[in-house]
Amino acid sequence: MQSAVCSTCRQSCQDSLGIAAELESDLARVIASYECEWKRAISDPATLRRFRHFINTDAGDPDISFVQERGQARPAMPLGRRPRAGAAV
């Protein structure tokens, strides 16, 4: 008597269900249509305007400050909090 694992492996590896081509086609379509939603958001000024600290003003949050790290801005660590071990400061 074969175990369920062996049966699943046989179906997956040998395509005994005859669906491998369909699955490959579906996966190729998903890969071809992929779009990074964050890249799209920062590229579109209308979408980017939605990402603000406060909805009713363009002012930023005075309690948040940023530092440069690896050429990018990141929020500064709160006072008294230590960075993760191995993290660049």
Side-chain angles (χ1 to χ4, degrees):
M1 182 168 144
Q2 286 186 332
S3 71
V5 174
C6 290
S7 176
T8 302
C9 181
R10 183 179 54 78
Q11 290 173 355
S12 298
C13 297
Q14 297 175 6
D15 192 26
S16 65
L17 299 176
I19 62 171
E22 179 183 355
L23 294 174
E24 287 290 335
S25 172
D26 288 348
L27 187 57
R29 185 176 34 76
V30 168
I31 291 170
S33 65
Y34 174 78
E35 180 179 34
C36 177
E37 60 191 52
W38 287 110
K39 183 177 180 181
R40 183 174 27 117
I42 63 172
S43 300
D44 178 21
T47 304
L48 189 58
R49 278 194 297 272
R50 294 175 32 205
F51 294 92
R52 300 184 307 191
H53 290 282
F54 305 107
I55 194 71
N56 57 352
T57 179
D58 287 333
D61 187 339
D63 294 327
I64 297 178
S65 60
F66 294 91
V67 296
Q68 287 292 114
E69 184 175 315
R70 295 185 309 265
Q72 302 175 12
R74 70 157 176 85
M77 299 295 290
L79 291 176
R81 185 169 163 207
R82 303 186 73 127
R84 294 184 324 269
V89 179

